[in-house]
Amino acid sequence: MILDHIAIRAQNIDNLQQWYEENLGATVERKDKFYVRLQMDNVIISLIDKSRYKYSHLGVLVKKWEDLPSKGVRTTHRDGTIGVYCFDPEGNVIEYIWYPDDKGGTMGNESERKSPRRGLFQKIYNWGLSFLG
């Protein structure tokens, strides 16, 4: 497994976003009221609103849906990814995350994890293109 992202709880997402952009060269990949996804060369930093999210966490990438742990809190994210949240022995949160490809099988697209149109979004995008010819 490889590290996919680091999620950091923030009191003020906009200020923290600006700091990461100016000091680490991070670029915004996605943003909403409670969440900012920043891309760096080798990892994603997610800034998550403290009032909405209870834990900071490390996200580790699994290649197949079957590799997700059976124990933990399972959730489907807004981008179609599936995460399972677990605690390590010291109480730190680890998210095992799986990015489905168009076929819903083995990921096979680790190099494309920066793409905002993966998984469910990719399916919707492809479906929309079929109407445009």
Side-chain angles (χ1 to χ4, degrees):
M1 286 183 243
I2 63 169
L3 183 64
D4 179 70
H5 66 275
I6 301 166
I8 301 169
R9 294 176 69 223
Q11 186 73 33
N12 185 319
I13 286 180
D14 293 327
N15 285 345
L16 203 52
Q17 171 192 331
Q18 182 178 353
W19 189 92
Y20 278 94
E21 288 173 321
E22 291 174 1
N23 292 281
L24 299 180
T27 57
V28 175
E29 185 180 276
R30 185 177 310 123
K31 182 174 183 172
D32 68 29
K33 184 177 178 181
F34 302 104
Y35 173 84
V36 178
R37 184 178 177 98
L38 298 168
Q39 181 64 55
M40 296 188 60
D41 289 337
N42 63 335
V43 73
I44 294 163
I45 298 175
S46 298
L47 305 177
I48 54 178
D49 190 290
K50 276 187 175 184
S51 66
R52 184 158 181 166
Y53 298 97
K54 192 172 180 179
Y55 301 103
S56 295
H57 66 270
L58 295 178
V60 293
L61 187 65
V62 299
K63 292 185 179 183
K64 297 184 296 186
W65 178 84
E66 296 84 6
D67 294 336
L68 289 168
S70 59
K71 293 181 181 177
V73 177
R74 184 177 297 249
T75 187
T76 301
H77 298 295
R78 63 180 79 66
D79 63 356
T81 59
I82 298 173
V84 176
Y85 294 87
C86 306
F87 291 97
D88 72 11
E90 296 283 331
N92 301 298
V93 177
I94 306 297
E95 177 191 17
Y96 295 85
I97 188 163
W98 174 68
Y99 294 95
D101 64 9
D102 287 341
K103 298 169 192 60
T106 300
M107 191 172 98
N109 62 350
E110 292 94 336
S111 64
E112 298 174 16
R113 65 188 179 131
K114 296 179 187 178
S115 171
R117 292 190 314 246
R118 72 177 150 253
L120 181 60
F121 286 154
Q122 183 67 50
K123 290 177 185 177
I124 293 168
Y125 176 77
N126 291 343
W127 176 77
L129 285 180
S130 69
F131 284 106
L132 298 174

